[in-house]
Structure formats: C-alpha cells, structure tokens
C-alpha cells in the first residue's frame, strides 16, 4: 500500500524507558526502580488530586464534558484570562500539533533551537514542514534573529523556556525584544512546560501569560500538568492565546481529547498551590547538591532552570554506556544520544534517589 | 494571522449535550438528569474497572507505558492476533485520524455513506480531502461499488458496521464481496465501535478481525472501549490491521496518547466478559419494548443493531422541538438535525430511563 511521502521522513518520539520495561528486562521489583528519565515529580501529585480521582470514578462510563467548562474557568481565573483564550490538549504536545496543523503545510518553515523538545520537529515533519535550527544547541536569541531575518516567511517559531532537555532559559526581556521584531503572521510558541521552576528560581525568567498576550497577538503560551503538578499519567496540557488563534486551534481539536478523570483532577491540582511550592523548594535544594557534587568532581553541566540537569561527558566517557550501567542498578536516566549529545539528563529526584544517583555516578566515573 | 486554507471548510464535531451543561442551563440536580445522547452504557462499566482505577491512583504522576505492552497483549489474546497488529488510540476517533493522515492529503478522495459517523468527514477535511458520499443515508453496498468504479483512485473508504447514527448494519458476506473488488491500494476502514451489539443480535453481521485481516491486507478494523465496555470517559480505542499498516499508523501516533489509568482499566475490562453479556442481553430486551411502542404509535424507526435507535418524524413534527421538550424534562436525546434529518437518536437506557422516555414521547406526540 502507498502512503503519504511525508511519512518517510518521520521518526518516532523516544520516550524515557518506562518502569514496566525495566521490570521485564532485568526482573526488578517495580518498587525498587528509580525512574529519573521523564522529569516527573518525585513527590507525586497533590493528595487532593488522588482524592478527586477517587471521588469521580462514577464518571468513567460517561464521555467527558467536551466544553471543558470547569477546567477552562479554573485556568482563566489562575491566569486572569477568559475561557476564550484557552485550549486544552492531551498534554501540551497535542496543542503543539494543533499549532502546526493550523499554520504549516508541505515546505512551511519552522524554526527552533538545535537541541530542544523533540516533539517540535516530529509534529512539524508530520505535515512535511522544513525544519530550521540555530547553530548552537542552547537558545541564543541572536541566532534566532539572524535566521528569521534571512527567512521572513517562517511560519512557526518555538522557544522553550526553560529548554528541555538542556535546562537553560532565556530572560523574559530578551524574549520580548525578539517578539517585537517578529511579523504578526509568524506564530511564536512559548513552551512554558517548566516555567513554574524557572520563574521560582529567577524572576527575570518569568513569563506572565496575560502580559505576554496583551503585548503580542501572534503568540501561544503552552503549559502542562505533567511536570510541577505531577500528573504526567493523566495527560493534560493547555495553550493560551488570542481568541482568534484559540478559535482556529479548536478546529483541529478532536472531541473528548481529555479523560473525565483528567479534567476533574486538573481542576483540583490548581487549588493546591502549597504542593507546588513544596515541590519547587525541594527541587532547587536538591539541585544545589548535584551542582556541588558535579563541580567537585569536575563534571561539566548546564546550569538548569527546570527539574532536571544535563551533564556532559568528555570523550573519555560514553554517556550511553553510563546510562546502561545505571539501568543495571535499577536507575533510569535519559541518554541524550538521540539528540546527538554525549550527555545524560537526570531528573532531580527526592533526597534518597539523588544520593543513590550520585553514589553510582561517582563509582562509574572512577572506573 | 493567516492560517491554512483547509481550515476554512472545517466544522467541529457536535457532541451530545453533557449533563454539566443541562445543570447550568436548567438548574437540575445532576442525579435527576437522564442522558441518552451519546450511546454510553446505562449500566456503567464493570465494577472491576473501577476497582482497577482505584488501585492505580499511584500511577497518576508517571507517564504511561508508551509501548502499551499489557493492553496490546490483552487485545492480541482476545482477537488471536499479534501485538504488531494493534495500535491504541485516544478513542477510535484518534485511529481514524491516523488512517487519514497516512493515506490522504489535499484532494485525496474519501468515500462514506451519506449519513454516518461525523468524525470521518471532519478528519478527512482536516487534511483537505474530498468527501464522496453515497446517495442513500444508510449503507448500500451497490452504491459504494458504483462510486468506487467511477473513482478507482479513492484513498479511503469507511464502512460503519453497524452504522452510527442510524443503526443499520451490512452483512459480513456483503462486506467481504465488496472488499474483494477494492484495490489493495485503497484503505478500507471497518468501524466496529458497536460490533459487540450487532454480532450479538445477528451472527450474519459479525466481523471476526482475525479472519478479516487474513483475507484482506488493506483493511483497518476499529474497536472501542467507549460503548459496550462503558468507558467513554477514559478514551480508549484501537485499530487492528496488517503489521505494515500498523507500523505506518504508529508514525502518526503521539507519545503517551492514553492515560495511565485508561491503560490499566482497559486491560481489566477485557477480563469481565460477564458484564458485556449482561449489557447486550438487557440492551436488546429494552430495544424490543421501544420497537413495540413505536410500531403501536406508528412512529417510523430504523431497525437497529446497536445500543441506540433512530426515530424519524413526519413533517407534522420537528425533531429539534421534541428534543428541546425532552431537555426541559431533564432528558438528553440526540437531535440529528446536523445530519440533515428530522430524527432523534435515542440511546437504549436502563428500564426506568426508557419508560420515562416513552411516557414523554407519547405526551409530546399527542399534543
């Protein structure tokens, strides 16, 4: 059977190895496995979220409320926006695919940093768009400007703030200065999947969606419940933008794209700010211990504004080999080989998990 | 901002009015509302499914197993197929969109019955495909053959067995005779969302996926957990096909497209066959009572092989008005005006719900 030619160029997203697979491969007890590969919240989710799931089991047989009235209302309140500025996705990934679907077709141009969230490229290639990348791995706004100047017909630009998988974060000031130079016909996607972390660490990195949308009509801000909120298993993300853009994205949203339980739980998650604050405080306390350890052991790392750190190895070591050694110990980290890097991305876990990671890392690196 | 022109032709799926909306509009107590608009299972889901959700709340913070190993295994066992023959979607709708994405682009031709599941057309139009429809509302295989003969370049054909929203069902024999005449380069989608019902009522309508796939390499069979299994709120559907086609569809599947809880619950649902059997028996017992009532009152209806009935009104009555009267009584039915029909689709509810529907219907029709 013949299929669309655009499919020939597609590669699939490489997910962090799930615990289930490690159990199969190495015969571990699932409870003994430490998974620090997908930037999940090591403290789980708010207890109130679990309670909400429990109280809503009767909703399993019913299709979800497709207007998503309650969740949109809760998000509108949180961000001082209106329902009409909000679209809900099955993870922010799905909102990315709506944006690409609305703006791109065969040979449309899409600009992103050299090393950034893999779904940008995967989504864009699904419609046959052309990918332009900055020369540097990390976001450098001057490189974005230069490429944009040479390609004013770029349809979509992705800025990942902070950037996954490297952890660096552009300052809000630099982002705004760049946005002023971008045509109103270019859609700029500000991916705030880890914004809770960045804005907690450094106020200069904080993006306020209301302010952003008031200043720029051609921007979509992405947020997610999978990271700080600890709900990766429930698949809820959102896009915030002008009424015009949100209306258009809604044309591409499939009905019932979120489960009934996910909708109910996301509303509750927004009510437990204390849980998020605890997560953020502990994340950066634990990150400091990694920084000390890495500096002391002269291991190169990217200063991170998120809930993970990327450590970069000299040619003396192979990150893939080290990742395999960790797997044998029941610890799942993310090998960044598929990004062309000799690096590991480590989600900041809880205190005990991090101690085990550092102990093992010290052992592997002295061998 | 300019968007893709294909979006201009898009209309959104019109979902059954959710209970939440009726509560807002009419100030009903949610418990008093009878929703028979979305073909949900009036007996809910298996108790074991709820128990599984309860036992898996700790999975909320973790991304789902993207290999979907356990669910694919369970489905493979059920259908005597291999994992490689299975793709999981967030509802079978999502598998439809993968099929369209794999085979269609601007001006590709897609063939379907005049009145059938709305998502076929919506999905096809999202990529700019041309829609061809049979002259008759219900599936007539001779009309499919005629249009296909005149358009051998048709990329995708949809057969809905039984058909939503009308309820009729082609016999397996006729489907097979048609498939033999279709080129191996045309993808035929056999939508079995309501197959559990049709094959229970009439063995001649039963599609056996293993047999279907052995005979025809260009077919995708769709199934869902939203109807007989009573899990519409959890969004799980699947596609069964050849390894080649499934591999291609996987290129379009976004990672983590099903929640952790949905995956666990779907596996359990397959284990409780008794629940399904009870659902099927009661469904057709209740349907008989509708048939008696409608015949006695000389109301036209389409004999149905699913868990709903479509009743057709003469010009003396307006289905939309009757639907509104039902809403005022707290009963949500599906007005088929958006399909161009003066008809109502009624999900077969439980005994008490159905009595109330018939009582009200009798009242409205004598006025």
């Amino acid at each position: 059977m013949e299929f669309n030619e655009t499919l020939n160029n597609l590669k699939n997203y490489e997910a962090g190895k799930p615990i289930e697979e490690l159990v199969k491969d190495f015969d571990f007890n699932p409870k003994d496995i430490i998974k620090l590969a997908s930037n999940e919240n090591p403290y789980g989710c708010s207890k109130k979220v679990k309670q909400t799931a429990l109280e809503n089991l009767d909703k399993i047989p019913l299709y979800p409320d497709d207007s998503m009235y309650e969740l949109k209302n809760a998000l509108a309140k949180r961000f001082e926006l209106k329902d009409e500025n909000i679209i809900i996705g099955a993870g922010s990934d799905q909102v990315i695919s709506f944006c690409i679907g609305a703006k791109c077709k065969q040979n449309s141009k899409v600009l992103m940093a050299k090393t950034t969230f893999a779904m940008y490229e995967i989504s864009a290639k699904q419609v046959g768009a052309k990918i332009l990348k900055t020369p540097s791995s990390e976001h450098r706004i001057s490189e974005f400007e230069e490429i944009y100047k040479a390609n004013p017909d770029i349809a979509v630009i992705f800025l990942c703030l902070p950037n996954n998988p490297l952890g660096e974060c552009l300052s809000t000031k630099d982002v705004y200065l760049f946005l002023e130079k971008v045509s109103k016909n270019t859609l700029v996607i500000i991916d705030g999947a880890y914004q809770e972390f960045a804005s907690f660490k450094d106020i200069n990195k904080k993006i306020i969606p209301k302010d952003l949308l008031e200043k720029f009509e051609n921007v979509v801000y992405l947020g997610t419940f999978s990271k700080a909120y600890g709900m990766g298993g429930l698949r809820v993300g959102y896009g915030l933008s002008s009424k015009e853009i949100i209306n258009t994205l809604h044309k591409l949203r499939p009905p019932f794209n979120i489960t009934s339980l996910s909708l109910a739980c996301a509303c509750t998650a927004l009510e437990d700010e204390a849980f998020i604050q605890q997560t953020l405080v502990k994340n950066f306390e634990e990150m400091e211990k990694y920084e000390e350890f890495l500096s002391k052991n002269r291991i190169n790392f990217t200063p991170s504004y998120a809930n993970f750190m990327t450590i970069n190895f000299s040619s003396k070591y192979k990150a893939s080999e080290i990742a395999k050694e960790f797997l044998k110990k029941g610890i799942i980290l993310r090998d960044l080989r598929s990004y062309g890097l000799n690096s590991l991305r480590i989600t900041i876990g809880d205190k005990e998990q991090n101690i085990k990671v550092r102990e093992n890392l010290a052992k592997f690196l002295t061998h």
Side-chain angles (χ1 to χ4, degrees), chain A:
Chain A
M1 180 170 288
E2 285 164 36
F3 300 105
N4 281 335
E5 316 85 59
T6 46
L7 271 65
N8 298 334
N9 302 318
L10 295 187
K11 57 169 195 175
N12 284 333
Y13 179 76
E14 195 176 317
K17 213 176 173 66
I19 287 173
E20 290 86 344
E21 207 167 308
L22 210 60
V23 170
K24 266 189 289 166
D25 292 357
F26 292 95
D27 204 26
F28 281 111
N29 183 330
K31 292 200 172 168
D32 295 335
I33 291 174
I34 297 176
K35 186 188 173 205
L36 297 172
S38 301
N39 305 336
E40 292 146 332
N41 189 329
Y43 313 105
C45 62
S46 159
K47 279 179 193 161
K48 293 176 187 170
V49 166
K50 278 193 201 174
Q51 185 59 30
T52 297
L54 190 66
E55 287 164 6
N56 281 275
L57 294 182
D58 282 344
K59 286 192 178 162
I60 287 177
L62 299 177
Y63 281 92
D65 172 12
D66 198 46
S67 76
M68 307 195 191
Y69 174 80
E70 283 181 57
L71 179 55
K72 282 190 194 165
N73 250 4
L75 285 167
K77 210 172 136 192
R78 154 68 53 101
F79 292 113
E80 300 179 56
L81 294 168
K82 292 181 181 166
D83 289 18
E84 66 194 29
N85 301 119
I86 301 168
I87 187 164
I88 311 291
S92 51
D93 319 18
Q94 196 179 35
V95 185
I96 292 171
S97 78
F98 300 155
C99 292
I100 291 290
K103 282 295 289 181
C104 299
K105 51 189 169 186
Q106 190 83 32
N107 295 323
S108 297
K109 291 177 184 169
V110 175
L111 174 60
M112 65 192 72
K114 184 178 167 192
T115 302
T116 191
F117 185 41
M119 287 308 296
Y120 306 156
E121 182 168 352
I122 292 172
S123 267
K125 281 190 173 169
Q126 281 180 349
V127 299
K130 262 176 73 177
I131 312 295
L132 307 179
K133 291 185 179 179
T134 59
S136 300
S137 267
E138 302 183 357
H139 286 65
R140 297 230 171 112
I141 218 67
S142 58
E143 294 178 1
F144 276 86
E145 284 180 3
E146 207 168 308
I147 295 173
Y148 188 65
K149 215 181 255 177
N151 299 275
D153 58 339
I154 283 174
V156 175
I157 301 173
F158 284 98
L159 297 177
C160 193
L161 308 170
N163 186 28
N164 174 20
L166 297 180
E168 93 281 4
C169 191
L170 292 172
S171 77
T172 308
K173 197 180 141 196
D174 286 347
V175 172
Y176 276 31
L177 285 172
F178 173 62
L179 287 175
E180 278 165 18
K181 295 173 193 158
V182 173
S183 148
K184 295 298 164 236
N185 198 30
T186 299
L187 183 67
V188 183
I189 298 175
I190 306 284
D191 187 344
Y194 299 90
Q195 255 291 313
E196 289 87 355
F197 297 97
S199 57
F200 178 85
K201 183 175 183 180
D202 182 351
I203 193 75
N204 294 313
K205 316 286 190 187
K206 186 181 175 91
I207 303 277
I208 299 167
K210 182 182 166 64
D211 185 61
L212 178 75
L213 301 188
E214 275 170 3
K215 288 198 172 65
F216 306 102
E217 67 190 59
N218 57 329
V219 165
V220 173
Y221 176 91
L222 300 181
T224 182
F225 287 89
S226 301
K227 306 301 179 186
Y229 288 92
M231 289 167 47
L234 291 183
R235 317 301 303 122
V236 194
Y238 52 88
L240 309 175
S241 188
S242 66
K243 183 181 173 181
E244 181 207 6
I245 291 176
I246 292 295
N247 275 348
T248 305
L249 299 184
H250 266 292
K251 292 187 174 183
L252 294 165
R253 186 186 66 84
F256 316 118
N257 56 328
I258 302 293
T259 77
S260 309
L261 298 182
S262 307
L263 276 175
C265 288
C267 291
T268 300
L270 288 172
E271 291 167 12
D272 192 356
E273 195 49 40
F275 172 78
I276 303 299
Q277 286 304 310
Q278 285 160 18
T279 291
L280 298 174
V281 168
K282 285 189 263 183
N283 177 71
F284 288 107
E285 277 175 10
E286 288 298 314
M287 191 184 282
E288 264 184 41
K289 294 180 200 164
Y290 271 105
E291 288 174 344
E292 272 171 39
F293 169 85
L294 295 168
S295 300
K296 212 174 92 185
N297 289 275
R298 295 188 189 163
I299 305 170
N300 180 273
F301 66 92
T302 315
S304 168
Y305 291 84
N307 66 344
F308 56 82
M309 292 190 78
T310 289
I311 61 178
N312 312 301
F313 295 99
S314 66
S315 56
K316 192 179 158 192
Y317 297 104
K318 273 197 180 158
S320 302
E321 292 302 320
I322 295 173
K324 273 184 206 158
E325 291 302 318
F326 269 103
L327 278 183
K328 289 182 198 163
K329 301 282 181 185
I331 299 174
I332 317 177
L333 306 179
R334 181 72 75 101
D335 171 18
L336 296 184
R337 189 173 44 176
S338 67
Y339 290 88
L341 298 175
N342 186 28
S343 307
L344 287 183
R345 191 191 67 188
I346 305 174
T347 303
I348 309 296
D350 65 22
K351 195 174 163 183
E352 285 176 27
Q353 292 174 328
N354 297 331
I355 288 172
K356 280 187 193 159
V357 169
R358 287 193 294 269
E359 278 174 1
N360 279 289
L361 198 54
K363 255 185 259 169
F364 299 148
L365 294 182
T366 50
H367 278 290

